[in-house]
Each structure stands twice: as structure tokens, then as C-alpha cells.
Amino acid sequence: MTAPPPPLGLLAELTHRCPLRCPYCSNPVELSRASAELDAETWGRVFREAAALGVLQLHLSGGEPAARRDLPEIVAHAARAGLYSNLITSGVLLDAGKLQALADAGLDHVQLSVQDAEEASADRIGGLRGGHARKLTFAEAVHAAGLPLTLNAVVHRQNLDRLPALIDLALSLGAGRLEVAHVQYYGWALRNRDALLPSRAQLDAATRTVTEARARLQGRLVIDYVVPDYHAHRPKACMGGWGRSFIAVSPAGRALPCHAAESLPGFDFPSVRDHSLADIWAHSEAFNRFRGTGWMPAPCQGCEHRERDWGGCRCQAFALTGEAAATDPACALSPHHHLLDLAVQEAAVAEGDFTYREMARATVPG
């Protein structure tokens, strides 16, 4: 096997702790406790190894990374390693003083998550009363600190009709970029699929809204748009392909080809406590298992799209079929494609409420 190209991005999941309880959270259902988290010095070593490996962008995430009291120290490690750092945050644990400390430590960019444009709905979805108001105050602090701002809006059935208001919110907060990201259904989101999955009519309306807004706001606001696989006919190249351009490290130190990969059974994901990032990237069985095209079953093997979508999402394939190596059901050629249609039909008549993300429900992975 030829050596893989270097990863461009590193997602450092600093903690699973978070004051929000979002029912679509991308963290695994089994959440790591604070006692299992890597310390700041270990993160610093990982950042230096990432820079040497070729990583350019570092995303500091969680949970809520500001739950770490040593976050300024971690940011300083990233700056000394020469990495461009992006803080992915809910904003509810940071005030102007704490944010300025992060800017002084070398933070380059802030990505603020919002749950809705309407305060009551946003607080209900996030499970934190007053959370939305705190986010708006935090966005003002981002500008005061001189940091660029991206707004991240995870959209689904219960907020998608207010997408025009979310675009207006991004403009009012002075964001340079808006990420309109449809929920991806694994982990907590899979538990809440019936309450979150939008109708086709909602999706089509949202796509028209984004298309119009991109034309109208060109030069003022960049809008990224991630569509849901459940209404697709072709799969996305999940994370640019398994083990091709992205590496994640969990709070406990597991190195992963994507942030949701811990949901897959039968893997021994290596730890950065025991191995260098370069060794993990090049040689670990977990990263090489679905790298390239040699692993692909029919109809992926021989498909003209195989080096564009790289087989789609392994976590979604497992969630829907029980086999991580199966053809992603988002592909119309998959023998399991009908499962997506069935899920959409079931969600259309479901009346269930959210199962919120809770640390109390979690156990420490073994």
C-alpha cells in the first residue's frame, strides 16, 4: 500500500463535558469522564506531532472545550506548534475576559454553535435555559477580541423552517461564514432520528433558501451547506475519505479517522498516549482498514464514483445495516437504500420528544 497523504486537519476533542444537552450531539453515546482526559502537556505533544505530520488546521472541540480550565494553556501549545486554531464552542461558559485570554494565548478563530434563531426553541433544543442569550453576548465578545467568527447552525425538522432567520442572525452577529449543517444520524442523533429528520419538502425549501442567500449575500457571508444523507441518491465522501485527510483524537486519547468512529465495533483504535501520531496515521490497522478502494464490496468496487465518495460513511453503514463495510445506504445502488425511505416515512408520523444527551447516562468506555 502506498503511503497516505498527510492529514490536513486535526480535531482535538478536549472533553465530553458540556452544559448543553443537544439531542443531535456528535459525541458518542458512551462519554468519557474528566478523569480520563488527556492533560495539557500531552495535547501539546500531539499538536507538535500533528504539525510535523503536515496538519495545517486544528479544531478544538468537545463537548464544550471551555469546560477545561486549562484551555488557555492548550491554545498556547497550539500556537507554539504553528497550527491555525479554531475553537468550536457553545459560547455559554466564556465571557469577554476568558475569551481575551484565549486570544492572547494565540487563538485564531471562533466557531459558535446556535440551536435556533428563536430563543425559546433554541433553549429547548439545547436543554439550557438562557443559553441562547449567552451566545449572543459571547458573539459580541468575539468581535471585541478581534477574532473572526463562524456561526454553526445544525438544522433539522424542528428548526429548519426558520433557516431564513438563522441567516439573518449570522449577518446581525457579524459572522463571516455560516455553516448550515443538517443532522447526521449516528450516536445521539440516531436515538432522536424520528424527532429530527426533516421532510423532503422542508429540505427542498431549505436548499432554495441557501441558493438564494448565497447569490444575494455574495461577498458578505459565505454559506456552507451540508445536506442530510436520508434524502440522497449518492453518498458523501465522509471526512474526505476514511484516513485520507482528517484525524480526530478523543478526550481519552484515542486516534480516530472520524469523530464518530468509536461507534464501530471490532476496532482497536490506538491511543496517542502509546503511539506517535505519525505512526498511527501511516501504520495502524484501524486507519488502513477502509483506506482507499481495495476494501470495497460490490457495487462500490468498480463504480466510477469510488474515488470521489470513497464508499461514503462507515458509521452510517453500520448504524443502518449492522456492517461497517457495507455500501453506504445513501447510495441508490445499495441493497439497503430502502432503509432511508422507511426512516423518512416513520419520522413523518412519529410524535416522540427528545432523548437529551446526558453525562449521567454515560459510562466510561473500556
Side-chain angles (χ1 to χ4, degrees):
M1 177 180 293
T2 59
L8 301 178
L10 169 65
L11 176 68
E13 294 189 305
L14 303 180
T15 182
H16 282 156
R17 290 174 285 154
C18 185
L20 299 185
R21 304 161 57 212
C22 301
Y24 51 74
C25 181
S26 62
N27 285 161
V29 173
E30 293 187 347
L31 301 170
S32 296
R33 300 293 184 178
S35 59
E37 295 170 1
L38 299 180
D39 60 29
E41 287 298 322
T42 303
W43 278 117
R45 173 179 61 78
V46 171
F47 297 161
R48 292 190 297 274
E49 292 177 354
L53 188 56
V55 167
L56 301 176
Q57 292 192 338
L58 169 67
H59 304 282
L60 301 169
S61 182
E64 170 49 57
R68 297 270 310 230
R69 294 183 180 180
D70 57 357
L71 184 57
E73 181 183 355
I74 292 172
V75 169
H77 278 300
R80 286 193 290 270
L83 296 174
Y84 182 93
S85 58
N86 172 40
L87 179 67
I88 302 174
T89 180
S90 67
V92 300
L93 295 183
L94 290 167
D95 57 22
K98 292 178 179 177
L99 182 62
Q100 187 60 56
L102 296 176
D104 292 343
L107 184 67
D108 293 301
H109 185 274
V110 173
Q111 180 175 317
L112 173 64
S113 65
V114 293
Q115 281 67 44
D116 204 332
E118 181 182 274
E119 182 175 8
S121 176
D123 288 352
R124 182 182 71 86
I125 294 168
L128 179 67
R129 182 177 297 178
H132 186 70
R134 292 190 214 176
K135 291 171 182 287
L136 302 187
T137 300
F138 173 73
E140 296 176 0
V142 174
H143 290 294
L147 292 168
L149 174 67
T150 290
L151 204 67
N152 174 258
V154 179
V155 293
H156 46 82
R157 185 203 304 179
Q158 302 201 30
N159 66 6
L160 195 53
D161 294 337
R162 287 181 291 280
L163 180 55
L166 282 165
I167 295 172
D168 290 342
L169 178 63
L171 290 170
S172 69
L173 295 179
R177 182 180 295 271
L178 170 64
E179 293 185 352
V180 179
H182 282 268
V183 169
Q184 304 299 301
Y185 294 96
Y186 37 70
W188 294 94
L190 187 61
R191 287 190 171 190
N192 287 284
R193 187 175 65 184
D194 284 349
L196 295 169
L197 193 60
S199 68
R200 182 69 201 212
Q202 280 186 303
L203 173 61
D204 290 344
T207 302
R208 289 193 297 270
T209 296
V210 168
T211 300
E212 184 276 331
R214 280 173 166 168
R216 175 170 53 90
L217 300 173
Q218 187 173 10
R220 295 179 59 195
L221 181 68
V222 176
I223 303 178
D224 295 329
Y225 188 49
V226 180
V227 298
D229 289 332
Y230 278 63
H231 293 286
H233 292 285
R234 301 225 61 85
K236 295 191 291 289
C238 185
M239 310 311 298
W242 181 280
R244 287 189 55 81
S245 60
F246 177 87
I247 188 168
V249 177
S250 76
R254 289 182 177 86
L256 308 165
C258 83
H259 55 281
E262 282 187 288
S263 66
L264 301 177
F267 280 83
D268 181 17
F269 290 110
S271 173
V272 297
R273 300 180 193 269
D274 307 316
H275 305 275
S276 71
L277 214 58
D279 180 60
I280 291 170
W281 181 253
H283 303 298
S284 77
E285 189 278 335
F287 275 76
N288 282 315
R289 188 180 301 187
F290 296 128
R291 196 173 251 159
T293 61
W295 62 272
M296 292 180 178
C300 297
Q301 193 60 253
C303 176
E304 63 178 325
H305 300 283
R306 66 187 182 281
E307 293 190 8
R308 298 177 201 166
D309 58 41
W310 300 104
C313 179
R314 298 301 89 218
C315 298
Q316 181 163 265
F318 173 74
L320 292 172
T321 73
E323 295 289 340
T327 298
D328 187 340
C331 180
L333 299 177
S334 166
H336 303 289
H337 185 69
H338 68 283
L339 295 176
L340 303 186
D341 295 332
L342 181 61
V344 171
Q345 294 168 15
E346 291 176 347
V349 297
E351 298 180 356
D353 203 355
F354 294 142
T355 298
Y356 284 99
R357 173 197 192 275
E358 298 281 6
M359 288 296 294
R361 294 175 182 269
T363 59
V364 179

